[in-house]
Amino acid sequence: MPRAPAITLPLAAFAAALAFVVAGGVMAGDVALFRAHATAWMSALMAMPAMWHFLRRAGRRPLGQSWRLWWTAGWLMIVIHMWWGLGALHQWDAASVFARQGLAIAGPTFLLELVWTVDVVLAWTRRDWADARGWAGAWHWFAWALAAACFFVSLILFRNDAASLWTGALMLAVLLSALLRRLAAMEEA
Amino acid sequence: MIRAIVNWVAILASLAALIASGLWLWGERIWSRPPAPDAVSGTEDPGYRAFVHGPIGLEIFPLKYAAVIEAVSGHAFRRDGADPRSLWEIYGFLPNPRATGAPLCAANARDQLPYGFTITRTLPGRAADTPVAFVGLTCAACHSGRIRHAGGVSAIIDGMGNPEIDVIGFSEAVRTAVLDPGLTADRILQAYAEQCPGDDPGPVMAAIERWLIAAWLDGFRASVAEGLRRYGLPRWPHGAEIAAPDTPRHLLEPAGPGRTRPFRSVVRVALDLPGEDNHAFSKIPVVFEQRRDLRPRSQFDGSIRDPVVRAFIAAYASGAAPVTLARPEVAATIRDAARWTETLGIDSPVPSLAEIFPDLPAPDPALLAAGAAAYREDCAICHGWRDLETGRWIAEGALLHRHLPLDRIGTDPERVTFPHGRLLPLALWTALPGAGELLAAQRRRLDAARSAALAASRMGEAQIWAELRARLDRSARQFRLGHPLAFAECTGPDCSACAAEAPGARAPDPACALTATAGYYTNPIPRPWLRAPFLHNGSVPTLRQLLNLDDRPVAFCRGANAYDPVAIGLIARETLDPADCPPETPFLFDTRLRGNSNAGHDFPFTRAEVLADPARAARLEAIIAYLGRI
């Protein structure tokens, strides 16, 4: 049996997520606020498979197309999140985000946008993207850790709403499971 | 093989969904554009455009429903089928001067909808742009009117309160219509297709329309249903659930034409408290010459300082959600319309009594001069005066711009003593979050109010402040840069006087944006002849009655009343029996009912003093002549 192309699921998930963001905004009380929140949830949901893959495989096995596609889908959604979060809610005034959230919160968020973008560019331009070593491999780890930390803080610690909390809890469970699988595999080896 | 097919189908479906989402987002940018000014207005004055055509966040229902509302929901708006007038006429909406009598369809809607209606593509109560057109009210729906005279009706006069519009009755009827389970998107669209067969949106747009209209209907119906427990059952036109079927209108829903119950609404939306015990009726006021030097505070009780804040509260109390009010075009409309009213009648002309009634004999110059002199002696102390030479209103008077306590003016007290009024200034000020220091000040004031309530063992009030603090925190997250219509609590550096404001205060700090006082505010009265019926609750039909030259009627008929240019006011049949009211003026205004008192304002003389001395009557006749010219 031929396997389904790796792109099918990430593409379908991204399309469904974007449709949810767009249609949900129309039905919600505030389009921009809903879409800013919903794109953050969707970004986390789509980054989850990639982060799970990464934690299990990085440094041990090639990352695979699934990681690259899900990681890219999550990044695309975080870019769209910027459109509504920074553009619609803050009128593209980044300084107002820092003024409102403080450097400790806003700084890592903007840093994540930058680091994730570079990481996706690396994933699609380097021949050794699946098994990167040296600074590129370190960058993958840095991007992963920064994303995990930012999602953990924004989804769980901020406790904005039930949807955020559930998304954060799911991400935590997925990452813990990946960590356990990795530890188990290392022990077996 | 099957897996490959499923795979490709999934990919194609995903691409289709992505394209659809992209097209929708692209469409939102187009749907959010306001219509070109020349398409809706003959004047380039942005203030006029905002006042007459600008959206203020009061979208009501889809345009296609408005087009067929008579056919699909007519029964919800009529108590019986005998009234031959259109639904819009029954509720006092102004006919569009450009109306041709053609059936209302999307293509001609701007000409066929009543005056003071606008068309947007904003889903009511939300900030979402959609391809479906919705109709909404503008300032002009309530604050424009006409004079009925022997020759027919005048042209529309922007800025006068519409004495015929029955907004409370209309909103009650809308609740009734929406709760009708037979009202569905399919029924609306089918009726529209029959009425406007040339308007075929195509299968895709028809499906989107059906979805959005159904979603609007579900949301509106759920909101009305939820509100039944807070607002009670609809009282009009079918109030049989709460009263006998033949209960007269004025006992079912007592506001009637030309009046609203603004503070019942404000209490509901700003405090989320029931307002049924609120009898603070208010006639829809004129909005001429609202310049700040002439009217430093607006509203009959002087509770609002800034015209923009006044316009915001008017829209907010009428149902505009903060998220809708934050839309750039809505916030701009609120500001531009408020600014326009500051000079309406000064820079923008308003017709005079003589222009509306050209056959009315001009007053004798000597009588006019005597009237001007008597007015300056007897009335200018509270209202200032108009210089007939220059046309300027002179805002000078020892008691002008003051709060007159109730025991001094003696008019109906309900407007300034209603339940929860003391809580409103802070609740309204914090309804729109500011940013930075303004937001911090709002939070501090709510916390301080809660602490004060707790210290005084007013636990219910403390709970309200806690809830409003939570609402403020939520909305501050929503409006990250502050709501565009958020306003400062006061003009000076120290708002402590505003914070100490309370009912009964005799001299509120003029710097306060909002106050709560148990008295009425003395303001100029430009164009008094356009202010009928008189007193804040519209309980006195004519100026002669207001000045006690004639007896004030105990009860009279209201609706589409003709105008009496001699008595200066409305011709209203006096009767105690609503069955005696003519069909065009079916509402019995009974001044014996709570909130309807016609007592007070016995200035310069009481009725007894006028009857006792003919010289006083002559003096008042002269004042009337002057009032007809200012």
Side-chain angles (χ1 to χ4, degrees):
Chain A
M1 290 285 282
R3 288 180 60 81
I7 196 170
T8 307
L9 266 181
L11 179 66
F14 182 80
L18 188 61
F20 170 75
V21 166
V22 171
V26 175
M27 293 295 107
D30 184 335
V31 181
L33 187 70
F34 175 86
R35 287 179 178 166
H37 283 178
T39 45
W41 307 329
M42 294 301 130
S43 177
L45 284 174
M46 267 174 291
M48 254 180 241
M51 294 171 84
W52 187 79
H53 272 297
F54 186 87
L55 194 52
R56 285 188 60 213
R57 294 185 171 199
R60 302 180 65 246
R61 281 192 290 161
L63 291 172
Q65 278 292 1
S66 275
W67 170 79
R68 187 160 70 164
L69 290 165
W70 284 109
W71 195 231
T72 304
W75 169 77
L76 275 174
M77 199 52 86
I78 209 74
V79 170
I80 299 173
H81 170 71
M82 282 271 283
W83 175 266
W84 275 297
L86 182 60
L89 294 183
H90 289 91
Q91 308 296 310
W92 297 108
D93 180 6
S96 72
V97 182
F98 281 91
R100 192 173 167 277
Q101 297 184 338
L103 182 64
I105 302 295
T109 307
F110 280 105
L111 183 63
L112 174 63
E113 304 276 355
L114 185 68
V115 169
W116 200 344
T117 303
V118 172
D119 204 44
V120 168
V121 170
L122 291 177
W124 288 97
T125 55
R126 286 181 65 97
R127 287 186 179 179
D128 63 345
W129 63 270
D131 197 16
R133 307 282 170 179
W135 72 269
W139 192 276
H140 284 334
W141 270 109
F142 179 45
W144 181 93
L146 191 58
C150 284
F151 280 129
F152 180 76
V153 170
S154 61
L155 294 174
I156 294 182
L157 294 190
F158 278 7
R159 288 185 294 177
N160 280 332
D161 46 52
S164 299
L165 208 58
W166 280 110
T167 310
L170 181 63
M171 173 169 272
L172 200 60
V174 165
L175 295 187
L176 278 175
S177 124
L179 183 63
L180 290 174
R181 294 281 294 268
R182 183 183 181 101
L183 290 175
M186 286 168 68
E187 199 166 311
E188 281 171 18
Chain B
M1 182 64 183
I2 291 173
R3 180 173 288 200
I5 291 171
V6 169
N7 203 41
W8 278 108
V9 167
I11 288 175
L12 290 174
S14 301
L15 290 174
L18 283 176
I19 291 169
S21 298
L23 284 174
W24 186 279
L25 293 174
W26 176 70
E28 283 184 354
R29 298 179 72 80
I30 294 170
W31 303 324
S32 65
R33 288 180 194 153
D38 58 351
V40 295
S41 168
T43 173
E44 291 308 305
D45 185 330
Y48 169 83
R49 282 206 308 269
F51 186 86
V52 176
H53 301 294
I56 51 174
L58 291 179
E59 283 80 7
I60 319 171
F61 32 58
L63 171 59
K64 291 192 173 180
Y65 178 51
V68 297
I69 195 167
E70 188 86 67
V72 300
S73 295
H75 61 283
F77 289 84
R78 297 166 186 275
R79 195 166 203 188
D80 57 55
D83 196 331
R85 295 176 297 171
S86 79
L87 181 156
W88 308 115
E89 285 176 302
I90 289 174
Y91 287 94
F93 290 100
L94 297 171
N96 195 319
R98 300 195 296 194
T100 60
L104 171 56
C105 295
N108 64 10
R110 290 194 188 285
D111 293 340
Q112 304 299 332
L113 279 168
Y115 193 76
F117 275 63
T118 189
I119 300 170
T120 73
R121 296 186 180 275
T122 306
L123 215 50
R126 299 168 190 176
D129 297 301
T130 76
V132 173
F134 286 85
V135 298
L137 300 178
T138 73
C139 302
C142 289
H143 296 286
S144 295
R146 298 182 303 173
I147 299 292
R148 291 183 184 274
H149 49 71
V153 290
S154 72
I156 290 171
I157 301 171
D158 291 313
M160 72 176 278
N162 183 344
E164 299 176 10
I165 192 169
D166 182 3
V167 280
I168 304 289
F170 182 72
S171 60
E172 289 289 287
V174 168
R175 293 170 72 206
T176 303
V178 165
L179 289 176
D180 175 6
L183 182 66
T184 62
D186 283 337
R187 189 163 172 222
I188 292 169
L189 291 172
Q190 187 180 344
Y192 181 82
E194 288 167 8
Q195 180 167 307
C196 307
D199 186 359
D200 181 5
V204 175
M205 195 52 75
I208 292 173
E209 268 184 350
R210 185 169 291 105
W211 170 57
L212 283 170
I213 291 176
W216 160 79
L217 193 52
D218 288 347
F220 198 178
R221 187 172 283 153
S223 150
V224 171
E226 185 190 339
L228 290 178
R229 278 132 199 101
R230 197 187 321 161
Y231 301 150
L233 298 174
R235 304 183 72 88
W236 182 257
H238 307 290
E241 301 98 328
I242 48 178
D246 57 350
T247 304
R249 160 68 200 278
H250 69 289
L251 298 178
L252 263 184
E253 207 309 301
R259 300 203 304 174
T260 63
R261 299 174 79 170
F263 293 92
R264 183 178 66 163
S265 309
V266 171
V267 162
R268 285 168 172 172
V269 299
L271 291 167
D272 201 18
L273 288 171
E276 277 313 301
D277 195 35
N278 191 307
H279 293 258
F281 301 114
S282 178
K283 73 175 175 184
I284 297 170
V286 304
V287 289
F288 303 119
E289 303 190 31
Q290 305 280 301
R291 223 169 55 193
R292 297 285 297 281
D293 57 330
L294 298 176
R295 297 173 64 87
R297 305 198 70 86
S298 54
Q299 300 282 355
F300 294 110
D301 62 351
S303 54
I304 304 175
R305 185 172 58 81
D306 188 299
V308 175
V309 174
R310 178 209 62 197
F312 144 64
I313 291 175
Y316 181 59
S318 303
V323 67
T324 318
L325 290 164
R327 290 177 65 90
E329 71 277 15
V330 175
T333 293
I334 298 271
R335 289 198 191 93
D336 289 347
R339 199 173 298 118
W340 188 66
T341 63
E342 291 194 52
T343 55
L344 174 59
I346 299 173
D347 295 340
S348 315
V350 172
S352 67
L353 183 66
E355 287 169 330
I356 298 292
F357 294 95
D359 297 334
L360 188 69
D364 176 57
L367 180 70
L368 200 55
Y375 174 92
R376 285 192 62 179
E377 287 175 15
D378 295 339
C379 310
I381 187 172
C382 285
H383 297 300
W385 54 285
R386 173 92 75 195
D387 183 339
L388 292 177
E389 295 291 319
T390 64
R392 284 180 54 234
W393 196 276
I394 312 298
E396 292 174 0
L399 294 177
L400 180 65
H401 302 154
R402 300 282 184 87
H403 282 87
L404 281 190
L406 274 176
D407 55 6
R408 184 154 185 195
I409 191 165
T411 49
D412 190 282
E414 296 287 344
R415 173 68 177 74
V416 289
T417 57
F418 58 87
H420 318 308
R422 182 176 58 85
L423 311 180
L424 281 179
L426 183 55
L428 285 167
W429 180 52
T430 55
L432 303 182
E437 182 47 42
L438 176 54
L439 178 61
Q442 289 173 314
R443 286 179 165 141
R444 279 196 304 273
R445 287 275 286 108
L446 283 172
D447 291 343
R450 180 168 180 267
S451 298
L454 285 174
S457 296
R458 297 194 303 265
M459 299 307 170
E461 183 187 328
Q463 177 63 25
I464 294 293
W465 296 131
E467 288 174 11
L468 292 191
R469 172 64 200 272
R471 179 186 73 177
L472 179 67
D473 289 341
R474 282 195 305 275
S475 56
R477 286 183 57 223
Q478 194 173 358
F479 306 106
R480 308 289 170 105
L481 303 178
H483 194 286
L485 292 175
F487 55 96
E489 186 183 20
C490 64
T491 52
D494 178 9
C495 289
S496 57
C498 296
E501 202 59 65
R506 291 291 185 262
D509 183 345
C512 302
L514 301 168
T515 64
T517 56
Y520 291 94
Y521 195 71
T522 54
N523 259 327
I525 49 166
R527 295 171 181 78
W529 68 279
L530 283 173
R531 295 169 183 262
F534 297 93
L535 291 182
H536 71 273
N537 56 2
S539 57
V540 181
T542 72
L543 207 46
R544 286 182 65 88
Q545 293 160 349
L546 180 71
L547 295 187
N548 289 321
L549 262 172
D550 296 338
D551 287 326
R552 297 177 184 180
V554 174
F556 53 93
C557 302
R558 283 284 286 116
N561 299 77
Y563 194 90
D564 180 347
V566 177
I568 303 191
L570 304 182
I571 300 170
R573 178 181 294 180
E574 187 173 356
T575 177
L576 296 177
D577 184 357
D580 287 344
C581 286
E584 68 275 12
T585 56
F587 181 84
L588 185 73
F589 192 115
D590 189 338
T591 64
R592 298 167 300 179
L593 296 181
R594 192 175 162 195
N596 283 0
S597 169
N598 63 359
H601 193 277
D602 291 315
F603 307 128
F605 310 116
T606 64
R607 179 68 179 142
E609 288 169 339
V610 174
L611 289 172
D613 184 355
R616 287 180 180 144
R619 185 178 178 86
L620 291 174
E621 295 280 5
I623 290 176
I624 293 279
Y626 172 74
L627 287 170
R629 290 295 178 275
I630 62 171

